[in-house]
Amino acid sequence: MEKISSDCPYPGCFFCVMKEGNPGKRRASILKFFRELPSQDDDGQVLPISGLWNTAMAHPNDPEFIELGIFECMAALICKGLKNHRRWLSHDQNIYIPYYAAHIIGSYTMNMEEFAESAVHAGVIPPLVELLRGRLTWVEQRVAVRALGHLATYATTFPAVSSHGEILEIAIQLAMSSLEIVYSHFYQFVDRRLSYHCDLLTRGMGGVEMESRKAEEWASQLQCWSLQLINCFAFKSEFLPTICKPEFLIKLPGMWGGLVNENSPAGIGLLRTICHHKLGRGPVANCPSIIEALCNIAWSSDDWQYMAIDCLLWLLQDPNTCHKVIDKVVPTLVDLAEITTLGDHKKLGDSIMNVLQDCLESQGSGRSSVSSRTKEQIEEVLNSKERLKWEKTMPKEDLHIKQAAALVVKLEGNSLFSSGNISGAASKYSEALSLCPMRSKKERVVLYSNRAQCHLLLQQPLAAISDATRALCLQNPVNRHAKSLWRRAQAYDMLGLSKESLLDAILFINECSQSNDPDLSLRQNKVPDYAERLVKKQMRAAWLFREAAIKHGGVHSQADGGDLYGPEADDSDWETASESDMENERRDDDISGDDDGDDWKNDDERKDKYDKPSI
């Protein structure tokens, strides 16, 4: 093997240092390199910095560079760029260095608390705060808020972050304005984009389309990482008055990360932390729009649905907030009362039932005021629980008789629906639900879903959402009944809830593409055209930059041209029970319903979190 040439145009080059075979000499050379780099003005400094960035991304838990002074070096480089930023940053490719330096700090502090402690001792917080202020551009703000968020995560380093009082205020402003900043400073005018921004976004690959797509992703990250930083402060009660200002709280439900950043709980995650503390629940309960948004998220197929449910339960359990929210919250929780497992939440329906029962008992003792309608809804769901216990003691023959009677009434409903008597059909489905055994989950899923379609045609979107949600809660896994997803997506659209409609429509498409349903398998394209049209419509309506684009003249605030679909465009086949289904149910000795809420095969093999297909 040929020996690598030692001829190098840069004395003390970092890459040459890394090739040193003697460990002792290598460490000494790296230590010297980190100490001297900030004071040098040679060309080509961005090359070793980008190499360090790659190393930090690939090996964030490796302590070697931490011990040799990389944090001190990166902090000094950021300070150099801030102090002499016009002269030094404009030279060679130095404009990239503050971004890489802050990114390196964030990468090395995201997993290891001891690394975070070293970073704080090295003095990284002041220069990161200056980047957070916007001393350079939004690109550097993004990596600064990421690094500060990691430092704020650990108990030992949070005090050092919180001692800079302006960090929380800046993060709140950044969370509210980040999307507009990125849109107006980069996305809107293609010909004015800074070249180094484009290079960082696309890693030199270029292309306007890729730049725009990555800019949307980075804008979402800038917002979500700001929320993560605020979330660290929200665990401390002394910071809640600053966070819980109405003008900020009412915007949190709308901060959702978009499809480009679906792994972040974003605004709902911060709301959950706020609602976990009694000092936070009061301001939340005082904002009706937040309660309404929490109910919508709790109903929906959002990955963070359980966080909204937690918020609603805590608000009901708090005697200081229960009376403010109970009439709005109870209808949502009643629809979710039969949910079993949601993510890591086991027996979530039982928890909901217990809280509702406590609300009813507290009303009886005079501790809270409940409307008669709310009381009826709670009693109805509690009676269904008792009905389930009672059915366990019934002979199987009696249960079969009830099931058969429900089926007869259901078929009558189907006949009325086919003849155009939608109200009559809905009444028959209600009657069938009252007859159907509680443990016949599959049949109840169909009944709720069919009644949801009736509500759609009767222009009753809230009732349609309620019934579709009940069907989806009974389904196993939860939120995987395709026809209910589609019907609820339409109902959400009727109410102008584009995000919720989009999520349901995407899940519906996902179910269609994986379905072994014979009706769908006969089609060349398993994804119906009407679903694709709805997804495209809602992606425009829920676009992260939409509000900023309307404000800055990039999008006219007008309705999309006409309805792209309507309830009548529901091409999903009407669900009826055939004679063979009837015979199969009669032959089935196990009518517990534990495994019969499943219209789709191989559901147990799927992950609970679906992979959203790219549209």
Side-chain angles (χ1 to χ4, degrees):
M1 182 181 292
E2 293 183 4
K3 186 175 181 180
I4 298 175
S5 173
S6 60
D7 297 333
C8 179
Y10 302 107
C13 166
F14 175 74
F15 298 103
C16 295
V17 167
M18 293 299 292
K19 295 174 185 176
E20 173 61 56
N22 187 306
K25 288 184 178 180
R26 180 175 176 275
R27 287 179 62 86
S29 298
I30 294 174
L31 179 63
K32 181 182 178 184
F33 175 81
F34 285 152
R35 285 178 177 174
E36 296 179 353
L37 181 63
S39 61
Q40 296 175 353
D41 289 318
D42 301 329
D43 291 349
Q45 285 189 346
V46 73
L47 292 176
I49 299 297
S50 63
L52 288 168
W53 170 75
N54 277 311
T55 302
M57 292 284 285
H59 308 287
N61 300 335
D62 189 335
E64 182 182 22
F65 289 166
I66 312 300
E67 297 165 355
L68 298 176
I70 193 171
F71 287 138
E72 290 83 355
C73 179
M74 296 302 108
L77 286 170
I78 296 173
C79 290
K80 185 176 182 179
L82 293 169
K83 184 178 181 180
N84 308 305
H85 84 272
R86 287 190 178 180
R87 181 181 62 82
W88 182 70
L89 291 179
S90 62
H91 179 70
D92 194 35
Q93 292 182 307
N94 292 344
I95 189 67
Y96 295 87
I97 289 178
Y99 170 86
Y100 281 131
H103 206 302
I104 288 167
I105 294 170
S107 295
Y108 275 122
T109 55
M110 65 181 172
N111 296 329
M112 308 293 286
E113 187 168 3
E114 55 266 37
F115 291 2
E117 293 171 2
S118 298
V120 169
H121 293 150
V124 303
I125 292 181
L128 289 175
V129 171
E130 292 305 307
L131 293 182
L132 187 69
R133 288 177 183 275
R135 286 281 301 276
L136 296 181
T137 71
W138 65 271
V139 165
E140 289 79 17
Q141 280 182 302
R142 170 180 167 270
V143 288
V145 76
R146 170 179 178 260
L148 288 168
H150 292 159
L151 294 174
T153 301
Y154 306 110
T156 55
T157 52
F158 175 78
V161 176
S162 63
S163 66
H164 294 261
E166 70 271 36
I167 288 180
L168 178 57
E169 292 282 1
I170 296 171
I172 290 173
Q173 290 301 318
L174 199 53
M176 292 193 290
S177 62
S178 54
L179 301 182
E180 183 180 351
I181 289 172
V182 178
Y183 179 83
S184 60
H185 291 189
F186 182 87
Y187 192 100
Q188 185 176 16
F189 301 109
V190 174
D191 56 339
R192 300 183 195 175
R193 295 177 177 180
L194 296 178
S195 59
Y196 91 95
H197 284 183
C198 298
D199 290 340
L200 288 173
L201 283 163
T202 65
R203 298 192 181 183
M205 299 297 291
V208 172
E209 184 179 348
M210 182 182 291
E211 292 167 8
S212 299
R213 188 167 61 248
K214 290 297 292 185
E216 186 176 354
E217 180 182 335
W218 280 25
S220 173
Q221 290 173 346
L222 178 56
Q223 184 179 70
C224 291
W225 291 344
S226 299
L227 292 168
Q228 169 60 28
L229 177 56
I230 300 167
N231 196 66
C232 296
F233 283 85
F235 282 106
K236 309 292 184 181
S237 60
E238 61 266 31
F239 298 106
L240 285 175
T242 302
I243 297 170
C244 293
K245 293 177 180 177
E247 60 270 22
F248 177 57
L249 285 181
I250 60 175
K251 291 182 178 293
L252 285 179
M255 300 179 187
W256 66 292
L259 298 181
V260 295
N261 196 15
E262 61 186 33
N263 292 325
S264 171
I268 185 62
L270 178 55
L271 273 173
R272 183 177 184 269
T273 302
I274 292 170
C275 288
H276 192 261
H277 199 284
K278 63 180 181 180
L279 293 180
R281 289 192 287 271
V284 170
N286 290 332
C287 294
S289 63
I290 298 179
I291 303 304
E292 183 177 352
L294 286 172
C295 290
N296 289 330
I297 297 172
W299 262 329
S300 75
S301 55
D302 193 304
D303 285 345
W304 310 107
Q305 176 187 10
Y306 74 91
M307 290 191 171
I309 296 174
D310 283 345
C311 291
L312 298 180
L313 293 177
W314 291 333
L315 288 166
L316 279 185
Q317 289 174 303
D318 189 335
N320 295 318
T321 57
C322 179
H323 65 283
K324 297 179 181 179
V325 303
I326 188 168
D327 288 334
K328 184 66 179 177
V329 168
V330 164
T332 301
L333 292 180
V334 165
D335 291 339
L336 299 167
E338 290 193 82
I339 202 168
T340 51
T341 299
L342 189 63
D344 294 332
H345 283 50
K346 308 297 182 183
K347 298 184 177 180
L348 184 56
D350 291 344
S351 300
I352 293 173
M353 290 273 201
N354 293 335
V355 171
L356 292 176
Q357 187 165 10
D358 289 342
C359 288
L360 197 61
E361 291 174 355
S362 64
Q363 190 270 342
S365 62
R367 286 180 288 165
S368 64
S369 176
V370 181
S371 69
S372 58
R373 175 58 184 154
T374 300
K375 183 179 178 182
E376 288 173 6
Q377 289 176 311
I378 297 175
E379 289 175 342
E380 178 187 348
V381 74
L382 294 178
N383 288 339
S384 68
K385 183 179 180 181
E386 293 302 315
R387 181 177 154 193
L388 179 61
K389 293 180 180 177
W390 173 63
E391 287 176 358
K392 290 180 180 179
T393 65
M394 289 181 65
K396 290 183 179 180
E397 294 77 9
D398 292 349
L399 286 174
H400 280 301
I401 292 172
K402 287 173 63 68
Q403 199 166 16
L407 179 57
V408 170
V409 177
K410 171 190 166 183
L411 293 174
E412 292 174 0
N414 290 347
S415 178
L416 289 171
F417 182 90
S418 299
S419 66
N421 187 350
I422 308 303
S423 296
S427 297
K428 285 295 181 183
Y429 296 136
S430 299
E431 184 182 346
L433 281 165
S434 67
L435 292 170
C436 189
M438 294 295 294
R439 290 186 291 175
S440 298
K441 291 185 178 181
K442 181 176 181 178
E443 191 63 24
R444 293 176 64 224
V445 166
V446 174
L447 289 167
Y448 277 124
S449 189
N450 284 359
R451 195 171 69 175
Q453 177 65 6
C454 293
H455 291 310
L456 271 180
L457 296 177
L458 294 170
Q459 299 295 303
Q460 298 167 348
L462 285 174
I465 290 170
S466 174
D467 275 347
T469 300
R470 293 187 182 207
L472 290 164
C473 287
L474 287 168
Q475 183 71 3
N476 182 27
V478 173
N479 294 331
R480 292 300 186 271
H481 187 250
K483 294 172 185 178
S484 297
L485 286 166
W486 173 242
R487 287 155 187 165
R488 194 171 66 175
Q490 295 177 86
Y492 279 136
D493 182 61
M494 292 169 70
L495 295 174
L497 297 172
S498 54
K499 184 196 81 170
E500 287 78 7
S501 178
L502 174 62
L503 295 177
D504 275 357
I506 290 176
L507 255 183
F508 169 70
I509 288 176
N510 200 49
E511 291 301 312
C512 289
S513 63
Q514 299 183 41
S515 170
N516 292 319
D517 189 304
D519 295 328
L520 288 173
S521 62
L522 295 176
R523 302 173 179 169
Q524 278 189 326
N525 179 13
K526 288 188 176 184
V527 178
D529 292 339
Y530 57 81
E532 289 187 1
R533 290 197 300 272
L534 178 59
V535 167
K536 290 176 182 177
K537 173 186 176 181
Q538 304 300 20
M539 286 187 74
R540 289 195 298 271
W543 183 41
L544 284 180
F545 288 141
R546 183 172 178 81
E547 186 176 332
I550 292 172
K551 181 177 180 179
H552 291 272
V555 170
H556 295 294
S557 179
Q558 61 184 16
D560 295 306
D563 289 336
L564 298 179
Y565 72 99
E568 64 275 10
D570 186 352
D571 293 345
S572 54
D573 295 313
W574 195 246
E575 296 189 64
T576 59
S578 65
E579 292 299 323
S580 60
D581 291 334
M582 180 85 170
E583 291 301 319
N584 287 337
E585 289 180 3
R586 285 174 178 168
R587 286 195 298 267
D588 185 6
D589 290 333
D590 179 11
I591 57 170
S592 65
D594 291 335
D595 59 353
D596 69 349
D598 203 345
D599 286 344
W600 309 89
K601 296 180 182 178
N602 301 323
D603 267 328
D604 291 337
E605 298 174 9
R606 298 186 203 158
K607 296 179 182 178
D608 187 53
K609 283 191 176 182
Y610 64 94
D611 296 324
K612 297 186 180 76
S614 59
I615 305 299

